[in-house]
Amino acid sequence: MNCRVDDLIEEARVLLDLNPVGFACGNTLTVDRILRGRLPQAVRETLCEASILDVGAGKPLCEPIAWHWVTEKWWGSIVLPADFLRILSFQMKGWSRPARFIAPDSRQYALQHSAFSGVGGCPERPVAVVVPSAMGPCLQFFSCRCSADTVLQASYLPMPQTDDTGHIDLPPALTDAVARRMATLAAAILNRQDDCD
């Protein structure tokens, strides 16, 4: 849903118990500028924490797969798009179900590179993880029977951007949550400035 950034700012101002007209804060910043500056962080945090049912279908992930061989199994990696925010689903055709996602700092991730082929993900219980890389976030998935396997389903949530008309595309169920997060982030800044006065 395309919503106006100014409407989000207005809603956040109401949550902060401020009137709709901007006023000077600390003689340099207006509340509206603070709220607008917190918008990307509020959107990112809200969308990353939201239920998959609330964020929508996302975009198809169509990037090429780089294949790797380790101890009798194939695993793949995909460099994620520049607008990547969150993976929604990932399944290869040779798998019996979609991948279970794990954290890159978990013990399970270390097991994916084990010398023992029975340890880690397999086509019956696939595992995927998003890790940082020199080329940006990278999806790694474990494992496949051969490097000819192809993607059955893959979608990701892109980071919404404000367009030239001052609108941002947000899931309808999350616009209020974004405004609340903007208000919370701005309140922390405003409280710090009050302490300095």
Side-chain angles (χ1 to χ4, degrees), residues 24-27 190-197:
C25 174
N27 297 324
L190 294 169
N191 289 339
R192 280 199 306 264
Q193 289 182 351
D194 287 345
D195 291 342
C196 294
D197 291 342

Side-chain angles (χ1 to χ4, degrees), residues 32-33 38 183 197:
D32 290 355
R33 282 181 60 198
R38 299 287 63 91
D197 291 342

Side-chain angles (χ1 to χ4, degrees), residues 2-7 36 161-169:
N2 260 341
C3 67
R4 292 177 64 237
V5 171
D6 289 343
D7 291 342
R36 192 175 300 277
Q161 301 294 326
T162 304
D163 65 20
D164 295 338
T165 65
H167 288 76
I168 188 166
D169 191 19

Side-chain angles (χ1 to χ4, degrees), residues 9 24 64 69 90 128 133 139-140 152 171 173 185:
I9 291 172
W69 170 259
F90 188 79
S133 78
L139 172 70
Q140 295 179 351
L152 177 64
L185 294 168

Side-chain angles (χ1 to χ4, degrees), residues 98-117:
R100 176 177 61 92
F101 283 88
I102 59 173
D105 58 353
S106 69
R107 184 176 179 275
Q108 292 91 351
Y109 178 57
L111 294 175
Q112 303 312 310
H113 299 283
S114 170
F116 301 100
S117 60

Side-chain angles (χ1 to χ4, degrees), residues 25-144:
C25 174
N27 297 324
T28 56
L29 294 175
T30 66
V31 173
D32 290 355
R33 282 181 60 198
I34 292 170
L35 288 167
R36 192 175 300 277
R38 299 287 63 91
L39 176 64
Q41 181 181 356
V43 168
R44 183 173 51 255
E45 290 177 359
T46 302
L47 293 181
C48 285
E49 294 171 4
S51 161
I52 285 184
L53 299 176
D54 288 336
V55 297
K59 287 172 65 173
L61 181 62
C62 302
E63 270 57 32
I65 297 172
W67 288 101
H68 314 275
W69 170 259
V70 62
T71 319
E72 301 178 10
K73 63 183 180 183
W74 289 95
W75 64 277
S77 59
I78 299 173
V79 176
L80 295 166
D83 64 349
F84 167 79
L85 179 64
R86 175 180 173 186
I87 287 286
L88 299 178
S89 69
F90 188 79
Q91 183 175 1
M92 299 297 286
K93 286 185 179 173
W95 292 353
S96 58
R97 62 177 183 83
R100 176 177 61 92
F101 283 88
I102 59 173
D105 58 353
S106 69
R107 184 176 179 275
Q108 292 91 351
Y109 178 57
L111 294 175
Q112 303 312 310
H113 299 283
S114 170
F116 301 100
S117 60
V119 176
C122 65
E124 290 72 33
R125 55 179 202 291
V127 172
V129 60
V130 175
V131 297
S133 78
M135 296 172 287
C138 180
L139 172 70
Q140 295 179 351
F141 56 93
F142 307 87
S143 64
C144 296

